[in-house]
Amino acid sequence: MKRNNSSSRLFSNFSLLTLIAVYILILVGGIVRSTGSGMGCPDWPKCFGNWVPPTDVSELPENYKEIYSQKREKKNERFAKYLSTLGFEKTANRILKDESILEEADFNKTKTWIEYFNRLLGVLIGLFILGTFILSIRFLKTDRTIFFVALATLLMVIFQGWIGSIVVSTNLVPWMVTVHMFLALVIVALLIFLVYKTSAGLGGNLKLTNQKLFLGVLTLCAITLLVQIVLGTQVREGIDRIAASLNYEGRHLWIERVGEVFIIHRSFSWAILILHILLLFIIGRQGRSIVTVFLLAVIVVTIISGAVMGYLAIPAAIQPVHLLLGTLAFGLQFLLFLQVSNVKGKLTTS
């Protein structure tokens, strides 16, 4: 029994460490986005053709822009073929005809190293995910769900890495960045499931007298949050276009030029806040839930950070924090769903 408990504890702790690392990567990804460093490395997985990026433009050939533009064009042609095969011919044609995708940015040492650090962290996350999968093998005979979820997480991370390379080759096409973000949320959910399933210290299951009502409101909370994330990505895409058109100057003009989508995004936050207050009210009448209280607190801080960006010309330091808080709220919602749905069950290891 001690060996079983020890094995479960090791797996749970390692999965939790991996989950924390993923959230750190999301934060760093937000920093990459807010500083405009996404194309700091024009190729993938290397950076300017090297595993360690250059520190000065003099280390690059004079025609480096042409070199990496041609490489990107070839990769996009292959990607367009995949899209056409899947039936997305319009999207494939749009990528092939968009000449702005092939425009190479001037070398910037700071942006290059920010993106390089992001990639190093991504490699570390990959190793953590691989370690999680290896540790899950011991559950194959006793709890296959853990093994297959760990396998799904590993496959998802591999797919996410490929999508990341496409994000680079398409020069940060907005919808590809959005896909990249939603895949990260799926990975977060899978890791939370693994941690919760094997942990003895995540609060256990919540026994409610009106479970259906709570799950109904929680589902509405989750749907509204996901809609808000979609709206947020649209706001982000609009700001990216406006910022590029203004050569990343005049930050006070970015929000006002985004248009209606920002107003909808801002107003929708009230619906999210009211639903989460209702969620806390329902569970408050039947017991205590630290997760629910923490979730509401995260929602409030997320709204505050959004207001700061709206009224203070989108401070670069707040953007990644706003993104991190949104994904953290999603993770807490999923954890609550697991607690109320009573999916933990008994756990043994071989």
Side-chain angles (χ1 to χ4, degrees):
M1 181 64 69
K2 290 183 178 179
R3 179 176 177 271
N4 292 344
N5 291 337
S6 177
S7 299
S8 299
R9 191 180 305 112
L10 173 62
F11 180 84
S12 179
N13 290 340
F14 194 85
S15 299
L16 179 60
L17 176 63
T18 304
L19 175 62
I20 293 172
V22 168
Y23 270 117
I24 293 174
L25 181 60
I26 291 174
L27 176 63
V28 173
I31 295 173
V32 170
R33 194 85 187 273
S34 65
T35 57
S37 303
M39 292 305 296
C41 295
D43 49 345
W44 191 96
K46 294 183 179 181
C47 186
F48 287 102
N50 298 303
W51 293 113
V52 178
T55 57
D56 189 85
V57 70
S58 62
E59 300 176 40
L60 299 173
E62 292 184 3
N63 63 335
Y64 73 92
K65 290 186 178 182
E66 181 181 348
I67 292 174
Y68 293 108
S69 179
Q70 291 176 352
K71 289 183 177 180
R72 185 179 299 125
E73 183 177 15
K74 292 179 180 179
K75 192 166 188 175
N76 288 342
E77 289 175 353
R78 293 195 298 269
F79 180 54
K81 289 182 180 178
Y82 297 146
L83 290 176
S84 296
T85 302
L86 295 173
F88 300 102
E89 293 185 5
K90 290 184 179 179
T91 303
N93 291 330
R94 188 162 63 246
I95 290 176
L96 293 176
K97 293 179 180 179
D98 189 352
E99 296 181 359
S100 64
I101 289 178
L102 302 179
E103 293 179 4
E104 187 64 39
D106 293 333
F107 174 79
N108 183 299
K109 181 179 69 174
T110 301
K111 292 182 178 181
T112 292
W113 280 85
I114 289 175
E115 170 60 13
Y116 180 66
F117 177 75
N118 179 50
R119 294 188 183 187
L120 287 180
L121 187 57
V123 172
L124 181 62
I125 299 300
L127 294 176
F128 280 166
I129 297 292
L130 178 60
T132 300
F133 170 70
I134 292 173
L135 290 175
S136 74
I137 295 175
R138 69 187 67 193
F139 295 98
L140 188 55
K141 294 182 179 179
T142 56
D143 197 329
R144 292 187 176 184
T145 301
I146 293 174
F147 171 79
F148 285 113
V149 171
L151 175 60
T153 307
L154 177 61
L155 295 176
M156 187 63 66
V157 167
I158 293 173
F159 181 63
Q160 176 78 313
W162 178 73
I163 290 294
S165 72
I166 299 300
V167 169
V168 173
S169 70
T170 55
N171 203 353
L172 305 180
V173 167
W175 66 270
M176 284 301 302
V177 176
T178 300
V179 170
H180 198 52
M181 175 66 203
F182 270 88
L183 286 176
L185 292 179
V186 173
I187 293 171
V188 164
L190 292 173
L191 286 171
I192 288 176
F193 177 86
L194 291 175
V195 175
Y196 178 75
K197 197 77 165 63
T198 57
S199 173
L202 264 182
N205 297 318
L206 289 175
K207 296 181 180 180
L208 305 176
T209 56
N210 200 335
Q211 185 182 35
K212 289 184 178 180
L213 175 62
F214 184 84
L215 283 175
V217 176
L218 180 58
T219 300
L220 283 176
C221 288
I223 292 173
T224 53
L225 181 63
L226 288 175
V227 171
Q228 183 74 324
I229 290 175
V230 171
L231 290 171
T233 58
Q234 292 180 350
V235 171
R236 180 69 254 172
E237 291 167 9
I239 289 175
D240 285 346
R241 289 192 295 269
I242 294 167
S245 67
L246 297 175
N247 198 25
Y248 297 95
E249 296 179 355
R251 297 182 74 94
H252 62 286
L253 300 174
W254 296 359
I255 283 290
E256 64 183 53
R257 294 190 181 185
V258 172
E260 294 181 356
V261 66
F262 171 71
I263 298 175
I264 297 173
H265 179 62
R266 180 181 61 188
S267 302
F268 205 67
S269 61
W270 287 106
I272 294 175
L273 179 61
I274 291 172
L275 282 172
H276 282 82
I277 291 175
L278 177 60
L279 194 71
L280 183 64
F281 175 77
I282 293 172
I283 205 169
R285 298 182 64 183
Q286 303 176 55
R288 294 182 179 181
S289 171
I290 296 177
V291 175
T292 309
V293 175
F294 190 39
L295 172 58
L296 179 60
V298 170
I299 291 295
V300 171
V301 178
T302 304
I303 294 174
I304 292 174
S305 66
V308 170
M309 288 197 296
Y311 291 105
L312 297 181
I314 319 179
I318 300 298
Q319 285 179 263
V321 174
H322 187 68
L323 173 64
L324 177 65
L325 289 170
T327 56
L328 181 59
F330 168 81
L332 290 170
Q333 285 181 342
F334 188 67
L335 176 58
L336 265 179
F337 174 80
L338 295 176
Q339 289 181 334
V340 177
S341 300
N342 192 22
V343 301
K344 197 160 191 172
K346 297 181 179 180
L347 178 67
T348 59
T349 57
S350 58

